[in-house]
Amino acid sequence: MTVGRIIETPACVAEGAAWLSAQDPRFADALALTGPLPVRRKPDGFAQLLSAIVSQQVSVASANAIWNRLRAAKLTGPRKILWASDEDLRAAGLSRQKIRYARALAEARIDFKFLRGVSTEDVIAELTQVSGIGIWTAEIYAMFSLGRADVFAPGDLALQESARLLFDLPERPKERALRDMAAAWSPWRSVAARLLWAYYHVAKDREGIR
């Protein structure tokens, strides 16, 4: 498997959005409401994975608050995480479980440069070996930190709810059903995710992703 297309500029996202709109008029309708989609590219490396762990199972506002406290305490690097006491990490807002995950990530010594050159499947396989990094976290990392154009995160509740609304489904699709739906959006599944998150924000007046 190859790395595939990398999203680097607004033009890349616009190309993907145009392709999706041509495939399904409901995407075109959503895009008319959301306007141009954000690139959302982020750096790769330890801090972004730690940030993704912070975001697990909490609201965007809560995740932002915890991350800001970690940054203020300079607790966003692997050595700092290993040297910090549990009390320090709890004071920044991490739960006992997330402290364990943060330490596991720090101890994993992931080769982040290596991940840039392997397939998305291999990225997910490598990252999910670390305690606390599930498929959702690995997919978010591949999407935003590595810029992969054709990755989706069907376990994301905001994406599930947005798909229910946009496609007028009787109920919120489960992860497997949404993964199957998203197959039709290849090779631009990352842009489909951006569009669904943007539509979620318009429809629910809430942020679906950090």
Side-chain angles (χ1 to χ4, degrees), residues 92-177:
L94 293 185
S95 65
R96 180 181 293 114
Q97 184 180 56
K98 288 188 178 179
I99 290 171
R100 191 169 72 250
Y101 292 165
R103 295 199 191 283
L105 176 61
E107 291 167 353
R109 299 183 180 275
I110 294 168
D111 185 343
F112 291 104
K113 288 185 179 179
F114 168 77
L115 294 182
R116 297 172 189 172
V118 301
S119 70
T120 298
E121 290 77 9
D122 287 343
V123 170
I124 292 169
E126 185 79 15
L127 293 181
T128 53
Q129 291 181 47
V130 181
S131 179
I133 299 182
I135 291 176
W136 177 86
T137 302
E139 286 168 336
I140 294 298
Y141 184 84
M143 192 183 301
F144 294 142
S145 290
L146 297 178
R148 304 297 170 87
D150 196 29
V151 59
F152 199 73
D156 187 273
L157 293 180
L159 290 182
Q160 292 173 8
E161 177 64 8
S162 185
R164 181 189 72 81
L165 294 168
L166 182 60
F167 295 99
D168 196 24
L169 303 175
E171 61 184 13
R172 183 187 293 171
K174 299 287 195 297
E175 181 173 354
R176 184 165 187 171

Side-chain angles (χ1 to χ4, degrees), residues 34 66 72 74 145 153 174:
T34 65
I66 294 167
K74 295 183 169 54
S145 290
K174 299 287 195 297

